[in-house]
Amino acid sequence: MNKSFLCIVSVLFFISNVFAQKDRVENLPNKDKKKIHYGYYLGINKKGFKVSYEIDNSFVNVEEKYGFNIGLVLGYNINDNLNLRLEPGLSSNSKTLTFSNPTIPDTENDRVRDVPATYFRIPLLLQFRTNRLDNMRAFVIGGVSYDYNFSSNQKNSDDNYDGEFRMKTNNFMYEVGLGVDFYLPYFKFSPSIRGIFAINNELVRDDNPSSPWTVPIDYFGTRGVFLNLTFE
């Protein structure tokens, strides 16, 4: 996760340096004077899980993988520096879990679970922007989101005894990030990096109250890094 963060930050700095070298012609001088504005975004993500335990001799290894994000932007300019944003969209990703609880049989079918997840996300965010400098301005952004997990299997009668790892359908996240607005001749381009963190416990416990897969786990929640490219 730390390597992904450093890589994405490096990309943002590279893009910033490229645009900083352009001729100083002010593009879209009235772009941020409109109260309501629209756009869309696309990007990549790398998601995993934060796991805490009630039993010390249990461990879940999470293999983090890359996925994609896509969605729309509806923004309201409170003033020149504050922007309220609604960013509904889809986020898709998959992870592989490997359980090391000694009471679980030592076979791949019992210890390994693939966890695909496609979320419909509705983030409500507040963006604080610096004053514009030529054709760019930096910003920080943060807020909360409601996330509907299409792949949760929460109502599935099968659980880990049948090879199914279940997660909750309705979830809440918070996110924080930073980015840069670049004003191009015909549109505004805004790369940003976000950290995404689950608020609630997403784990659906197995029906057996002594399940070696879910009893040792105290908390199980999504965390990830998003790189979004926004066009307005």
Side-chain angles (χ1 to χ4, degrees), residues 38-54:
Y38 308 91
Y40 67 93
Y41 65 88
L42 51 87
I44 60 173
N45 66 68
K46 189 175 185 181
K47 288 184 182 179
F49 296 110
K50 177 183 179 181
V51 187
S52 58
Y53 304 92
E54 293 184 350

mmCIF file with all atom_site columns, all heavy atoms in Angstrom, residues 38-54:
data_model
loop_
_atom_site.group_PDB
_atom_site.id
_atom_site.type_symbol
_atom_site.label_atom_id
_atom_site.label_alt_id
_atom_site.label_comp_id
_atom_site.label_asym_id
_atom_site.label_entity_id
_atom_site.label_seq_id
_atom_site.pdbx_PDB_ins_code
_atom_site.Cartn_x
_atom_site.Cartn_y
_atom_site.Cartn_z
_atom_site.occupancy
_atom_site.B_iso_or_equiv
_atom_site.pdbx_formal_charge
_atom_site.auth_seq_id
_atom_site.auth_comp_id
_atom_site.auth_asym_id
_atom_site.auth_atom_id
_atom_site.pdbx_PDB_model_num
ATOM 1   N N   . TYR A 1 38 ? -20.395 20.279  -13.522 1.00 0.00 ? 38 TYR A N   1
ATOM 2   C CA  . TYR A 1 38 ? -20.512 18.839  -13.744 1.00 0.00 ? 38 TYR A CA  1
ATOM 3   C C   . TYR A 1 38 ? -19.211 18.299  -14.322 1.00 0.00 ? 38 TYR A C   1
ATOM 4   O O   . TYR A 1 38 ? -18.395 19.030  -14.864 1.00 0.00 ? 38 TYR A O   1
ATOM 5   C CB  . TYR A 1 38 ? -21.650 18.533  -14.719 1.00 0.00 ? 38 TYR A CB  1
ATOM 6   C CG  . TYR A 1 38 ? -22.973 19.149  -14.357 1.00 0.00 ? 38 TYR A CG  1
ATOM 7   C CD1 . TYR A 1 38 ? -23.328 20.418  -14.844 1.00 0.00 ? 38 TYR A CD1 1
ATOM 8   C CD2 . TYR A 1 38 ? -23.866 18.477  -13.532 1.00 0.00 ? 38 TYR A CD2 1
ATOM 9   C CE1 . TYR A 1 38 ? -24.545 20.985  -14.522 1.00 0.00 ? 38 TYR A CE1 1
ATOM 10  C CE2 . TYR A 1 38 ? -25.088 19.034  -13.203 1.00 0.00 ? 38 TYR A CE2 1
ATOM 11  C CZ  . TYR A 1 38 ? -25.427 20.292  -13.700 1.00 0.00 ? 38 TYR A CZ  1
ATOM 12  O OH  . TYR A 1 38 ? -26.626 20.853  -13.374 1.00 0.00 ? 38 TYR A OH  1
ATOM 13  N N   . GLY A 1 39 ? -19.071 16.975  -14.227 1.00 0.00 ? 39 GLY A N   1
ATOM 14  C CA  . GLY A 1 39 ? -17.920 16.325  -14.819 1.00 0.00 ? 39 GLY A CA  1
ATOM 15  C C   . GLY A 1 39 ? -18.005 14.822  -14.644 1.00 0.00 ? 39 GLY A C   1
ATOM 16  O O   . GLY A 1 39 ? -19.039 14.279  -14.262 1.00 0.00 ? 39 GLY A O   1
ATOM 17  N N   . TYR A 1 40 ? -16.905 14.176  -14.925 1.00 0.00 ? 40 TYR A N   1
ATOM 18  C CA  . TYR A 1 40 ? -16.823 12.734  -14.722 1.00 0.00 ? 40 TYR A CA  1
ATOM 19  C C   . TYR A 1 40 ? -15.395 12.376  -14.337 1.00 0.00 ? 40 TYR A C   1
ATOM 20  O O   . TYR A 1 40 ? -14.466 13.168  -14.494 1.00 0.00 ? 40 TYR A O   1
ATOM 21  C CB  . TYR A 1 40 ? -17.251 11.974  -15.978 1.00 0.00 ? 40 TYR A CB  1
ATOM 22  C CG  . TYR A 1 40 ? -16.323 12.124  -17.162 1.00 0.00 ? 40 TYR A CG  1
ATOM 23  C CD1 . TYR A 1 40 ? -15.289 11.214  -17.398 1.00 0.00 ? 40 TYR A CD1 1
ATOM 24  C CD2 . TYR A 1 40 ? -16.469 13.197  -18.054 1.00 0.00 ? 40 TYR A CD2 1
ATOM 25  C CE1 . TYR A 1 40 ? -14.436 11.354  -18.473 1.00 0.00 ? 40 TYR A CE1 1
ATOM 26  C CE2 . TYR A 1 40 ? -15.624 13.337  -19.140 1.00 0.00 ? 40 TYR A CE2 1
ATOM 27  C CZ  . TYR A 1 40 ? -14.604 12.411  -19.339 1.00 0.00 ? 40 TYR A CZ  1
ATOM 28  O OH  . TYR A 1 40 ? -13.756 12.566  -20.403 1.00 0.00 ? 40 TYR A OH  1
ATOM 29  N N   . TYR A 1 41 ? -15.230 11.185  -13.806 1.00 0.00 ? 41 TYR A N   1
ATOM 30  C CA  . TYR A 1 41 ? -13.894 10.739  -13.426 1.00 0.00 ? 41 TYR A CA  1
ATOM 31  C C   . TYR A 1 41 ? -13.719 9.269   -13.774 1.00 0.00 ? 41 TYR A C   1
ATOM 32  O O   . TYR A 1 41 ? -14.672 8.494   -13.905 1.00 0.00 ? 41 TYR A O   1
ATOM 33  C CB  . TYR A 1 41 ? -13.629 10.960  -11.931 1.00 0.00 ? 41 TYR A CB  1
ATOM 34  C CG  . TYR A 1 41 ? -14.502 10.145  -11.006 1.00 0.00 ? 41 TYR A CG  1
ATOM 35  C CD1 . TYR A 1 41 ? -14.134 8.854   -10.616 1.00 0.00 ? 41 TYR A CD1 1
ATOM 36  C CD2 . TYR A 1 41 ? -15.705 10.649  -10.519 1.00 0.00 ? 41 TYR A CD2 1
ATOM 37  C CE1 . TYR A 1 41 ? -14.938 8.106   -9.768  1.00 0.00 ? 41 TYR A CE1 1
ATOM 38  C CE2 . TYR A 1 41 ? -16.506 9.909   -9.671  1.00 0.00 ? 41 TYR A CE2 1
ATOM 39  C CZ  . TYR A 1 41 ? -16.117 8.641   -9.304  1.00 0.00 ? 41 TYR A CZ  1
ATOM 40  O OH  . TYR A 1 41 ? -16.913 7.894   -8.480  1.00 0.00 ? 41 TYR A OH  1
ATOM 41  N N   . LEU A 1 42 ? -12.479 8.882   -13.920 1.00 0.00 ? 42 LEU A N   1
ATOM 42  C CA  . LEU A 1 42 ? -12.100 7.486   -14.065 1.00 0.00 ? 42 LEU A CA  1
ATOM 43  C C   . LEU A 1 42 ? -10.743 7.307   -13.406 1.00 0.00 ? 42 LEU A C   1
ATOM 44  O O   . LEU A 1 42 ? -10.012 8.284   -13.201 1.00 0.00 ? 42 LEU A O   1
ATOM 45  C CB  . LEU A 1 42 ? -12.081 7.066   -15.539 1.00 0.00 ? 42 LEU A CB  1
ATOM 46  C CG  . LEU A 1 42 ? -11.301 7.935   -16.526 1.00 0.00 ? 42 LEU A CG  1
ATOM 47  C CD1 . LEU A 1 42 ? -9.831  7.505   -16.593 1.00 0.00 ? 42 LEU A CD1 1
ATOM 48  C CD2 . LEU A 1 42 ? -11.918 7.859   -17.900 1.00 0.00 ? 42 LEU A CD2 1
ATOM 49  N N   . GLY A 1 43 ? -10.428 6.080   -13.048 1.00 0.00 ? 43 GLY A N   1
ATOM 50  C CA  . GLY A 1 43 ? -9.166  5.880   -12.362 1.00 0.00 ? 43 GLY A CA  1
ATOM 51  C C   . GLY A 1 43 ? -8.937  4.438   -11.994 1.00 0.00 ? 43 GLY A C   1
ATOM 52  O O   . GLY A 1 43 ? -9.666  3.531   -12.406 1.00 0.00 ? 43 GLY A O   1
ATOM 53  N N   . ILE A 1 44 ? -7.900  4.227   -11.188 1.00 0.00 ? 44 ILE A N   1
ATOM 54  C CA  . ILE A 1 44 ? -7.540  2.900   -10.714 1.00 0.00 ? 44 ILE A CA  1
ATOM 55  C C   . ILE A 1 44 ? -7.519  2.912   -9.193  1.00 0.00 ? 44 ILE A C   1
ATOM 56  O O   . ILE A 1 44 ? -7.434  3.962   -8.554  1.00 0.00 ? 44 ILE A O   1
ATOM 57  C CB  . ILE A 1 44 ? -6.176  2.448   -11.263 1.00 0.00 ? 44 ILE A CB  1
ATOM 58  C CG1 . ILE A 1 44 ? -5.070  3.418   -10.830 1.00 0.00 ? 44 ILE A CG1 1
ATOM 59  C CG2 . ILE A 1 44 ? -6.215  2.319   -12.770 1.00 0.00 ? 44 ILE A CG2 1
ATOM 60  C CD1 . ILE A 1 44 ? -3.668  2.939   -11.198 1.00 0.00 ? 44 ILE A CD1 1
ATOM 61  N N   . ASN A 1 45 ? -7.619  1.718   -8.625  1.00 0.00 ? 45 ASN A N   1
ATOM 62  C CA  . ASN A 1 45 ? -7.533  1.599   -7.175  1.00 0.00 ? 45 ASN A CA  1
ATOM 63  C C   . ASN A 1 45 ? -6.752  0.353   -6.797  1.00 0.00 ? 45 ASN A C   1
ATOM 64  O O   . ASN A 1 45 ? -6.594  -0.576  -7.603  1.00 0.00 ? 45 ASN A O   1
ATOM 65  C CB  . ASN A 1 45 ? -8.932  1.563   -6.538  1.00 0.00 ? 45 ASN A CB  1
ATOM 66  C CG  . ASN A 1 45 ? -9.708  0.313   -6.912  1.00 0.00 ? 45 ASN A CG  1
ATOM 67  O OD1 . ASN A 1 45 ? -9.359  -0.799  -6.516  1.00 0.00 ? 45 ASN A OD1 1
ATOM 68  N ND2 . ASN A 1 45 ? -10.784 0.483   -7.686  1.00 0.00 ? 45 ASN A ND2 1
ATOM 69  N N   . LYS A 1 46 ? -6.265  0.352   -5.589  1.00 0.00 ? 46 LYS A N   1
ATOM 70  C CA  . LYS A 1 46 ? -5.670  -0.843  -4.990  1.00 0.00 ? 46 LYS A CA  1
ATOM 71  C C   . LYS A 1 46 ? -6.261  -0.987  -3.607  1.00 0.00 ? 46 LYS A C   1
ATOM 72  O O   . LYS A 1 46 ? -6.040  -0.139  -2.740  1.00 0.00 ? 46 LYS A O   1
ATOM 73  C CB  . LYS A 1 46 ? -4.147  -0.741  -4.929  1.00 0.00 ? 46 LYS A CB  1
ATOM 74  C CG  . LYS A 1 46 ? -3.489  -2.056  -4.502  1.00 0.00 ? 46 LYS A CG  1
ATOM 75  C CD  . LYS A 1 46 ? -1.972  -1.988  -4.562  1.00 0.00 ? 46 LYS A CD  1
ATOM 76  C CE  . LYS A 1 46 ? -1.363  -3.345  -4.252  1.00 0.00 ? 46 LYS A CE  1
ATOM 77  N NZ  . LYS A 1 46 ? 0.125   -3.296  -4.272  1.00 0.00 ? 46 LYS A NZ  1
ATOM 78  N N   . LYS A 1 47 ? -7.042  -2.041  -3.420  1.00 0.00 ? 47 LYS A N   1
ATOM 79  C CA  . LYS A 1 47 ? -7.777  -2.217  -2.171  1.00 0.00 ? 47 LYS A CA  1
ATOM 80  C C   . LYS A 1 47 ? -7.311  -3.449  -1.414  1.00 0.00 ? 47 LYS A C   1
ATOM 81  O O   . LYS A 1 47 ? -6.899  -4.451  -2.002  1.00 0.00 ? 47 LYS A O   1
ATOM 82  C CB  . LYS A 1 47 ? -9.276  -2.359  -2.442  1.00 0.00 ? 47 LYS A CB  1
ATOM 83  C CG  . LYS A 1 47 ? -9.984  -1.106  -2.861  1.00 0.00 ? 47 LYS A CG  1
ATOM 84  C CD  . LYS A 1 47 ? -11.468 -1.385  -2.996  1.00 0.00 ? 47 LYS A CD  1
ATOM 85  C CE  . LYS A 1 47 ? -12.244 -0.187  -3.449  1.00 0.00 ? 47 LYS A CE  1
ATOM 86  N NZ  . LYS A 1 47 ? -13.689 -0.487  -3.596  1.00 0.00 ? 47 LYS A NZ  1
ATOM 87  N N   . GLY A 1 48 ? -7.419  -3.360  -0.103  1.00 0.00 ? 48 GLY A N   1
ATOM 88  C CA  . GLY A 1 48 ? -7.174  -4.486  0.775   1.00 0.00 ? 48 GLY A CA  1
ATOM 89  C C   . GLY A 1 48 ? -8.162  -4.427  1.918   1.00 0.00 ? 48 GLY A C   1
ATOM 90  O O   . GLY A 1 48 ? -9.229  -3.817  1.812   1.00 0.00 ? 48 GLY A O   1
ATOM 91  N N   . PHE A 1 49 ? -7.804  -5.039  3.049   1.00 0.00 ? 49 PHE A N   1
ATOM 92  C CA  . PHE A 1 49 ? -8.652  -5.012  4.234   1.00 0.00 ? 49 PHE A CA  1
ATOM 93  C C   . PHE A 1 49 ? -7.809  -4.738  5.464   1.00 0.00 ? 49 PHE A C   1
ATOM 94  O O   . PHE A 1 49 ? -6.673  -5.210  5.575   1.00 0.00 ? 49 PHE A O   1
ATOM 95  C CB  . PHE A 1 49 ? -9.377  -6.354  4.423   1.00 0.00 ? 49 PHE A CB  1
ATOM 96  C CG  . PHE A 1 49 ? -10.345 -6.697  3.336   1.00 0.00 ? 49 PHE A CG  1
ATOM 97  C CD1 . PHE A 1 49 ? -10.089 -7.727  2.456   1.00 0.00 ? 49 PHE A CD1 1
ATOM 98  C CD2 . PHE A 1 49 ? -11.528 -5.981  3.183   1.00 0.00 ? 49 PHE A CD2 1
ATOM 99  C CE1 . PHE A 1 49 ? -10.983 -8.054  1.450   1.00 0.00 ? 49 PHE A CE1 1
ATOM 100 C CE2 . PHE A 1 49 ? -12.426 -6.291  2.176   1.00 0.00 ? 49 PHE A CE2 1
ATOM 101 C CZ  . PHE A 1 49 ? -12.151 -7.330  1.320   1.00 0.00 ? 49 PHE A CZ  1
ATOM 102 N N   . LYS A 1 50 ? -8.391  -3.994  6.393   1.00 0.00 ? 50 LYS A N   1
ATOM 103 C CA  . LYS A 1 50 ? -7.833  -3.898  7.724   1.00 0.00 ? 50 LYS A CA  1
ATOM 104 C C   . LYS A 1 50 ? -8.494  -4.979  8.563   1.00 0.00 ? 50 LYS A C   1
ATOM 105 O O   . LYS A 1 50 ? -9.731  -5.049  8.630   1.00 0.00 ? 50 LYS A O   1
ATOM 106 C CB  . LYS A 1 50 ? -8.090  -2.520  8.338   1.00 0.00 ? 50 LYS A CB  1
ATOM 107 C CG  . LYS A 1 50 ? -7.566  -2.411  9.767   1.00 0.00 ? 50 LYS A CG  1
ATOM 108 C CD  . LYS A 1 50 ? -7.890  -1.061  10.379  1.00 0.00 ? 50 LYS A CD  1
ATOM 109 C CE  . LYS A 1 50 ? -7.382  -0.988  11.818  1.00 0.00 ? 50 LYS A CE  1
ATOM 110 N NZ  . LYS A 1 50 ? -7.716  0.319   12.450  1.00 0.00 ? 50 LYS A NZ  1
ATOM 111 N N   . VAL A 1 51 ? -7.692  -5.830  9.192   1.00 0.00 ? 51 VAL A N   1
ATOM 112 C CA  . VAL A 1 51 ? -8.218  -6.949  9.972   1.00 0.00 ? 51 VAL A CA  1
ATOM 113 C C   . VAL A 1 51 ? -7.641  -6.888  11.381  1.00 0.00 ? 51 VAL A C   1
ATOM 114 O O   . VAL A 1 51 ? -6.429  -6.766  11.558  1.00 0.00 ? 51 VAL A O   1
ATOM 115 C CB  . VAL A 1 51 ? -7.856  -8.308  9.333   1.00 0.00 ? 51 VAL A CB  1
ATOM 116 C CG1 . VAL A 1 51 ? -8.561  -9.442  10.067  1.00 0.00 ? 51 VAL A CG1 1
ATOM 117 C CG2 . VAL A 1 51 ? -8.217  -8.328  7.852   1.00 0.00 ? 51 VAL A CG2 1
ATOM 118 N N   . SER A 1 52 ? -8.514  -6.939  12.377  1.00 0.00 ? 52 SER A N   1
ATOM 119 C CA  . SER A 1 52 ? -8.073  -7.077  13.769  1.00 0.00 ? 52 SER A CA  1
ATOM 120 C C   . SER A 1 52 ? -8.690  -8.355  14.337  1.00 0.00 ? 52 SER A C   1
ATOM 121 O O   . SER A 1 52 ? -9.736  -8.814  13.872  1.00 0.00 ? 52 SER A O   1
ATOM 122 C CB  . SER A 1 52 ? -8.470  -5.856  14.605  1.00 0.00 ? 52 SER A CB  1
ATOM 123 O OG  . SER A 1 52 ? -9.870  -5.659  14.583  1.00 0.00 ? 52 SER A OG  1
ATOM 124 N N   . TYR A 1 53 ? -8.047  -8.903  15.365  1.00 0.00 ? 53 TYR A N   1
ATOM 125 C CA  . TYR A 1 53 ? -8.373  -10.251 15.811  1.00 0.00 ? 53 TYR A CA  1
ATOM 126 C C   . TYR A 1 53 ? -8.742  -10.308 17.292  1.00 0.00 ? 53 TYR A C   1
ATOM 127 O O   . TYR A 1 53 ? -8.265  -9.517  18.105  1.00 0.00 ? 53 TYR A O   1
ATOM 128 C CB  . TYR A 1 53 ? -7.177  -11.186 15.564  1.00 0.00 ? 53 TYR A CB  1
ATOM 129 C CG  . TYR A 1 53 ? -6.720  -11.190 14.132  1.00 0.00 ? 53 TYR A CG  1
ATOM 130 C CD1 . TYR A 1 53 ? -5.710  -10.323 13.699  1.00 0.00 ? 53 TYR A CD1 1
ATOM 131 C CD2 . TYR A 1 53 ? -7.294  -12.037 13.195  1.00 0.00 ? 53 TYR A CD2 1
ATOM 132 C CE1 . TYR A 1 53 ? -5.295  -10.321 12.375  1.00 0.00 ? 53 TYR A CE1 1
ATOM 133 C CE2 . TYR A 1 53 ? -6.879  -12.044 11.869  1.00 0.00 ? 53 TYR A CE2 1
ATOM 134 C CZ  . TYR A 1 53 ? -5.883  -11.180 11.467  1.00 0.00 ? 53 TYR A CZ  1
ATOM 135 O OH  . TYR A 1 53 ? -5.475  -11.166 10.159  1.00 0.00 ? 53 TYR A OH  1
ATOM 136 N N   . GLU A 1 54 ? -9.584  -11.298 17.604  1.00 0.00 ? 54 GLU A N   1
ATOM 137 C CA  . GLU A 1 54 ? -9.903  -11.621 18.986  1.00 0.00 ? 54 GLU A CA  1
ATOM 138 C C   . GLU A 1 54 ? -9.064  -12.790 19.487  1.00 0.00 ? 54 GLU A C   1
ATOM 139 O O   . GLU A 1 54 ? -8.914  -12.983 20.698  1.00 0.00 ? 54 GLU A O   1
ATOM 140 C CB  . GLU A 1 54 ? -11.391 -11.958 19.121  1.00 0.00 ? 54 GLU A CB  1
ATOM 141 C CG  . GLU A 1 54 ? -12.314 -10.766 18.878  1.00 0.00 ? 54 GLU A CG  1
ATOM 142 C CD  . GLU A 1 54 ? -13.776 -11.110 19.114  1.00 0.00 ? 54 GLU A CD  1
ATOM 143 O OE1 . GLU A 1 54 ? -14.071 -12.312 19.284  1.00 0.00 ? 54 GLU A OE1 1
ATOM 144 O OE2 . GLU A 1 54 ? -14.606 -10.186 19.115  1.00 0.00 ? 54 GLU A OE2 1
#
